[in-house]
Amino acid sequence: MKAGSIEQRKKKRGWTDPKRALVILAPMILWWFLAAGFPMLFGFVLGFFEWRGINPQPKFIWFENFVTFFKNSLYREILWRTIWLGVVTTAGTVLCGFGAALLMNMPLKGRGAFRSLWYIPAVTSTVAISQVIQIMIDPFNGVLTRIFNANGWTPINFVDSATWGYIVIIFYSIWKGVGGSALLWLAGLQCIDASLYEAAEMDGANTFQKFLHITLPGLRPIVTYIVITGIIGALQIYEPVAFITNGGPQNGTMVLALKIVKDGFFNFNFGMAGASSLILAIIIFVCSASYYLFSKRRANDA
Amino acid sequence: MPETTFNADKIRAIDPKIRRQKLFRWIGKIAAYAVLTAGAVIMVYPLLYVVMASFYTAKEFNESVLGLFPVAKEPTIDNFKMLFMVGLDTATLGYYTNSILRTLYTTSFSCLSALLGGYVFARLQFKRKEALFLCMLATQMIPGILSVLPMYLQLRAMNLYDTWGVYLLLGGGALNVMGTFLVRQTLEELPISIEEAAKVDGANTACIIFRIVLPMVKTIMIYLVITGAIGVWNDWTTPFYYTESQSLQTIPSALTRLTAFAGKEGQLMDYPLILSFSLLVTVPSVVIFFIFQKHIVRGLMSAGIKG
């Protein structure tokens, strides 16, 4: 029954033309393969070799790199830190974005201006903005240090402390992500049928009840998307750490993506870098796939 | 319940319950404005700081106490001249041109890819179309870091490391999956009748895509062009990992090499210079954003709805 109408809809939508599709897509896919696909495949296998860049012959060592990864406390620490930093950052961004979206959804003058202003951090470059942060917290000549000294207080050394490093990194990530998150939540909020609110008001619901029974359920489709894409992005956190703390005092704030770069480009330990990348990729893929399956099942229920 | 309007209005005005409701609503609105404005200030502050600090000379910046709102006592516009390519040394001019060229090249290809891909998936039917689309989506789930080292090794093997070939190869090859997705969604909701009429009149595919479909998806294309351009402009990773020579650097990668990863304990950094670089990277993005903010916000929200 449904199949019949889908067939009809498909016929209405376009024409069956595999040759044309091939002509257009083939060059794009080929070029992609050369510029991105092949390295990706290569990346999957790099971890299975011992390759230190100095000896040009990579040696196939099965899972040794992976075993090293999980046996070595530094790597385990880094993995754990990447995960909890990712969760905290995502939670912060998503919640603040949600709050902001609720406010922006109110009939206020200038909400368009607020939406744009809140989104500005997203278009800035982390390299550029972290310069401002460095200027502020530099222990020798930074702005905050100078203010502290001028007032006779002992300056806090932000650079020597992993805790302060976390605080700055988390704050920066939320600062950057809130605008985009708010816009996504806004999109979800505006999809909720306004007449539901009117009906509830006529039945005597107050603001809190409307929120609980209309807003929250209405947002369910978009919650998964926002949270999962947030976590996937946050697990790969790299720029803020690299430019603010550079891994922090003695690897105190090191995260996985940065460690991979350091292993590969600065220590030339290609095998280990490859193994770490693969582990990170698997974790992220599991998250994405779960989201995809979860949302498909939801769509089938609906 | 019969009421004359006259009495009802008077009752509403005096009824304490309704007055209380109005008061709460009013307080709510003020609170909302306060939070949104405070947030907006925080969002904009670092940018403001970069702009204000750019009025300083290096000497004054390092010597004066500086507060949270640095106002230069001896302002100079030397750093701003950088933005307009006035009096730049050859290295910086090189960074600037490289950034512009890279942005133009990569954005063109990425938007072309989105347009063509979106058209193919929206309007053409072929076996295993959805499977292919799913594969494309799957590649997006793989973190970029996995490919960085292999790409470096591959470029070395191809003798393209540290050449223009890096930008040419990588800039053109990206399949703009997100863009294809958005164009496809937009196109699927638009009627196919005009295209069919054109086909009957004997138009070839290229004509259909560029003369008919492109104007139909103009809004989303503008969104893709702007966000794509900002993305490439800010990108420092490709020049940083895959090139070495100064002549190939773009502004953000030059800034990164100047400041990051280096042990800078105790060095007196030339902050105004660094800040003018930061200005150079950020100001064009923000300006473009402001000009096209309607498109960007609209595109972002439609991406959220369809995501």
Side-chain angles (χ1 to χ4, degrees):
Chain A
M1 198 175 62
K2 234 184 174 185
S5 62
I6 289 184
E7 223 78 334
Q8 286 167 2
R9 265 189 285 147
K10 274 194 172 161
K11 284 216 172 101
K12 267 199 184 150
R13 262 202 270 150
W15 34 83
T16 310
D17 205 338
K19 259 188 259 167
R20 200 163 308 208
L22 193 71
V23 164
I24 296 180
L25 287 182
M28 295 198 322
I29 295 185
L30 241 76
W31 194 336
W32 172 82
F33 201 75
L34 205 57
F38 183 67
M40 206 181 277
L41 287 177
F42 192 4
F44 282 117
V45 298
L46 195 56
F48 294 97
F49 291 83
E50 159 99 31
W51 194 353
R52 296 250 174 194
I54 310 171
N55 59 326
Q57 294 300 351
K59 205 169 49 148
F60 190 68
I61 56 168
W62 287 104
F63 290 94
E64 244 177 76
N65 279 327
F66 297 92
V67 171
T68 314
F69 186 95
F70 288 106
K71 276 210 174 136
N72 188 328
S73 65
L74 177 65
Y75 281 102
R76 283 204 310 267
E77 214 177 271
I78 293 177
L79 183 61
W80 169 238
R81 186 179 300 124
T82 309
I83 293 178
W84 77 252
L85 259 183
V87 171
V88 170
T89 317
T90 310
T93 313
V94 165
L95 289 174
C96 290
F98 182 58
L102 287 176
L103 295 178
M104 288 185 205
N105 204 24
M106 290 166 60
L108 301 171
K109 278 204 201 114
R111 38 200 278 214
F114 282 126
R115 271 187 293 195
S116 299
L117 284 174
W118 279 63
Y119 192 66
I120 284 186
V123 302
T124 61
S125 146
T126 303
V127 177
I129 299 299
S130 51
Q131 299 313 312
V132 179
I133 298 184
Q134 290 295 347
I135 292 177
M136 292 279 161
I137 67 176
D138 178 27
F140 293 97
N141 211 11
V143 171
L144 291 179
T145 316
R146 288 191 223 176
I147 294 181
F148 275 66
N149 281 329
N151 280 325
W153 307 325
T154 34
I156 305 178
N157 194 330
F158 295 95
V159 169
D160 261 354
S161 137
T163 318
W164 275 110
Y166 292 143
I167 294 178
V168 178
I169 290 173
I170 293 176
F171 193 75
Y172 174 82
S173 302
I174 296 182
W175 175 82
K176 188 141 201 218
V178 136
S181 178
L183 286 178
L184 288 175
W185 282 115
L186 254 183
L189 284 172
Q190 294 183 350
C191 275
I192 301 176
D193 198 353
S195 53
L196 289 175
Y197 286 112
E198 289 167 11
E201 258 184 49
M202 281 200 274
D203 285 346
N206 63 21
T207 322
F208 188 63
Q209 286 170 323
K210 277 191 282 182
F211 182 74
L212 209 57
H213 296 286
I214 302 178
T215 313
L216 287 187
L219 285 173
R220 220 190 283 152
I222 206 169
V223 170
T224 334
Y225 175 75
I226 292 181
V227 171
I228 297 286
T229 47
I231 292 198
I232 291 173
L235 283 176
Q236 301 177 56
I237 189 175
Y238 171 79
E239 287 187 340
V241 184
F243 298 132
I244 298 177
T245 62
N246 197 16
Q250 278 105 26
N251 287 328
T253 58
M254 180 65 78
V255 291
L256 198 48
L258 184 55
K259 182 75 177 129
I260 292 173
V261 170
K262 291 216 163 171
D263 275 345
F265 282 89
F266 295 91
N267 299 333
F268 302 109
N269 190 348
F270 295 155
M272 205 55 211
S276 314
S277 321
L278 187 55
I279 291 176
L280 184 61
I282 290 178
I283 296 178
I284 290 177
F285 189 77
V286 166
C287 288
S288 319
S290 326
Y291 159 67
Y292 185 68
L293 291 172
F294 187 53
S295 69
K296 254 224 155 153
R297 199 181 304 159
R298 167 88 55 66
N300 284 338
D301 288 341
Chain B
M1 207 162 55
E3 291 173 316
T4 58
T5 355
F6 174 105
N7 279 335
D9 280 344
K10 275 207 174 149
I11 292 174
R12 275 195 205 107
I14 305 174
D15 179 4
K17 202 161 135 195
I18 292 185
R19 283 182 75 191
R20 198 174 28 190
Q21 262 184 16
K22 276 196 173 167
L23 184 67
F24 280 161
R25 207 163 287 176
W26 193 76
I27 293 182
K29 270 199 173 173
I30 300 280
Y33 270 115
V35 170
L36 285 178
T37 317
V41 169
I42 298 179
M43 299 293 140
V44 172
Y45 174 70
L47 219 59
L48 208 64
Y49 193 93
V50 175
V51 173
M52 285 199 283
S54 311
F55 283 103
Y56 279 71
T57 56
K59 186 163 162 294
E60 194 191 344
F61 195 82
N62 285 320
E63 290 175 2
S64 59
V65 181
L66 287 187
L68 292 176
F69 284 100
V71 180
K73 295 211 178 64
E74 300 163 19
T76 163
I77 57 168
D78 279 345
N79 294 324
F80 284 96
K81 288 195 198 151
M82 268 196 144
L83 271 178
F84 300 100
M85 294 204 193
V86 175
L88 291 177
D89 61 5
T90 37
T92 316
L93 196 61
Y95 306 149
Y96 212 143
T97 15
N98 290 344
S99 275
I100 295 180
L101 289 174
R102 232 200 117 202
T103 305
L104 288 174
Y105 177 82
T106 310
T107 312
S108 320
F109 270 93
S110 121
C111 291
L112 188 64
S113 159
L115 179 64
L116 293 176
Y119 176 77
V120 165
F121 280 99
R123 295 304 197 216
L124 301 181
Q125 306 294 332
F126 48 96
K127 255 198 289 205
R128 309 217 180 82
K129 179 168 89 158
E130 297 303 326
L132 179 60
F133 198 68
L134 235 71
C135 285
M136 284 170 60
L137 284 181
T139 62
Q140 292 294 92
M141 296 184 195
I142 301 184
I145 202 87
L146 186 68
S147 317
V148 170
L149 209 45
M151 188 77 236
Y152 168 77
L153 295 169
Q154 177 181 319
L155 286 172
R156 282 227 97 115
M158 291 167 85
N159 274 328
L160 283 180
Y161 175 76
D162 201 26
T163 65
W164 276 103
V166 172
Y167 300 143
L168 290 175
L169 179 65
L170 267 55
L175 271 183
N176 191 347
V177 175
M178 190 61 192
T180 306
F181 177 76
L182 286 175
V183 174
R184 176 187 185 180
Q185 294 283 53
T186 316
L187 209 48
E188 280 176 348
E189 285 169 24
L190 297 171
I192 201 176
S193 36
I194 308 180
E195 297 158 53
E196 285 179 333
K199 208 162 188 233
V200 165
D201 284 347
N204 64 18
T205 319
C207 178
I208 294 181
I209 294 182
F210 293 103
R211 294 243 189 96
I212 299 174
V213 173
L214 182 52
M216 279 166 40
V217 292
K218 203 163 56 150
T219 313
I220 201 77
M221 287 305 291
I222 295 183
Y223 168 75
L224 289 174
V225 167
I226 298 301
T227 42
I230 293 181
V232 184
W233 179 267
N234 284 344
D235 173 47
W236 58 272
T237 59
T238 303
F240 188 82
Y241 293 133
Y242 308 130
T243 68
E244 249 171 47
S245 13
Q246 209 184 37
S247 58
L248 284 172
Q249 302 308 307
T250 57
I251 305 172
S253 76
L255 183 57
T256 311
R257 281 179 204 268
L258 202 59
T259 60
F261 303 119
K264 35 189 162 67
E265 323 291 334
Q267 282 176 302
L268 213 63
M269 307 213 73
D270 183 0
Y271 276 125
L273 176 67
I274 293 177
L275 281 174
S276 26
F277 263 41
S278 306
L279 206 65
L280 211 49
V281 181
T282 318
V283 165
S285 306
V286 177
V287 166
I288 299 282
F289 168 73
F290 262 112
I291 299 178
F292 292 98
Q293 50 180 292
K294 274 216 196 89
H295 295 273
I296 296 178
V297 171
R298 211 179 293 162
L300 211 67
M301 286 175 64
S302 88
I305 295 177
K306 291 155 186 171

